[in-house]
Amino acid sequence: MKRNDRSICYACYRPQTSCMCGYITPIGTDTRFIILMHPKEFRKTKNGTGHFTNLSLKNCEIHVGIDFTEHKAINGIISDPTNLCYVLYPHERSINLNEASIGQEKRNTVIFLIDSTWPCSKAILAASSNIDALPKISFTHTEVSKFTFKEQPKAYCLSTMESTLCVLKLLNMHRIETIEETKLERFLLPFEKMVAYQLSWG
């Protein structure tokens, strides 16, 4: 695939010269992850972490857009009685995964991840009443993002991939998942290599 006369990796959507797929080790989860990617993020080839997240989770898929209200596949997932869906988004009434568990017996846990800037995340929720209506989950952390070459709106804002790792660790804590620690330790490797690559170019 070529974009702007440069060969692009079909998997991570980065230039072939800086493809990070070799550092990805996909993790299997019982939890299903759905990435809602803003079109602006999809067009990024240098620092989008949504693609890395998707490639790093076997039970994951990406849908690109802003208004998912009439999205057939998304509504099929939400309306399926065997699924229990959540959206990762900080809110005053969100379920804090540090303090409470999620899910129900005999139902599949589905977590929607919004991959975009904070303003664009708000736009997706404002446009997508079906997503906004889902129970919201969040977490508490004290880490600073490793996205050192990208300015974050707040000190403790994390990238999509970093946020997903926090969620995976908390799902492990609640025994919703049983992911090996070594796999969690490697989860951010493609992201870290990407950051190091970008910094090496100034």
Side-chain angles (χ1 to χ4, degrees):
M1 177 179 178
K2 287 190 176 182
R3 184 183 299 172
N4 296 331
D5 297 325
R6 293 188 303 169
S7 295
I8 303 295
C9 172
Y10 282 97
C12 69
Y13 289 88
R14 289 184 58 80
Q16 288 283 3
T17 53
S18 61
C19 171
M20 299 294 160
C21 291
Y23 300 109
I24 294 173
T25 305
I27 291 176
T29 60
D30 292 324
T31 304
R32 183 178 180 183
F33 291 89
I34 312 291
I35 298 175
L36 304 179
M37 181 178 289
H38 194 282
K40 289 182 178 179
E41 292 298 320
F42 184 78
R43 290 193 291 268
K44 290 180 180 178
T45 60
K46 290 184 178 181
N47 55 22
T49 66
H51 293 297
F52 286 161
T53 304
N54 179 49
L55 293 171
S56 299
L57 296 171
K58 294 180 181 179
N59 195 6
C60 185
E61 63 198 72
I62 289 178
H63 295 280
V64 180
I66 299 174
D67 185 355
F68 294 95
T69 306
E70 304 297 332
H71 195 289
K72 185 175 180 180
I74 297 298
N75 285 329
I77 295 168
I78 293 173
S79 62
D80 188 336
T82 65
N83 292 334
L84 185 54
C85 300
Y86 304 87
V87 58
L88 180 64
Y89 194 82
H91 189 271
E92 59 184 9
R93 291 191 297 275
S94 65
I95 302 168
N96 189 318
L97 290 178
N98 296 74
E99 303 167 358
S101 185
I102 57 173
Q104 289 181 7
E105 189 175 355
K106 297 182 179 180
R107 296 184 74 182
N108 305 310
T109 299
V110 181
I111 298 178
F112 285 88
L113 307 170
I114 301 178
D115 183 48
S116 67
T117 62
W118 282 107
C120 289
S121 294
K122 292 180 180 178
I124 288 176
L125 283 183
S128 308
S129 57
N130 53 345
I131 302 299
D132 192 34
L134 296 176
K136 295 176 176 62
I137 59 175
S138 62
F139 55 85
T140 303
H141 75 101
T142 56
E143 301 175 11
V144 175
S145 175
K146 296 180 181 179
F147 223 153
T148 50
F149 66 86
K150 181 180 179 181
E151 184 178 353
Q152 301 291 353
K154 295 182 180 179
Y156 294 113
C157 286
L158 300 178
S159 68
T160 298
M161 196 169 200
E162 291 170 307
S163 296
T164 301
L165 177 59
C166 290
V167 170
L168 292 174
K169 289 179 177 180
L170 290 167
L171 293 179
N172 255 13
M173 183 185 77
H174 292 297
R175 298 184 180 179
I176 297 171
E177 298 291 346
T178 54
I179 304 168
E180 296 176 14
E181 187 62 31
T182 53
K183 292 183 178 180
L184 292 176
E185 291 173 354
R186 285 183 53 85
F187 187 76
L188 289 183
L189 186 58
F191 170 72
E192 293 167 346
K193 293 292 185 180
M194 179 269 290
V195 171
Y197 177 86
Q198 295 299 138
L199 290 175
S200 71
W201 286 89

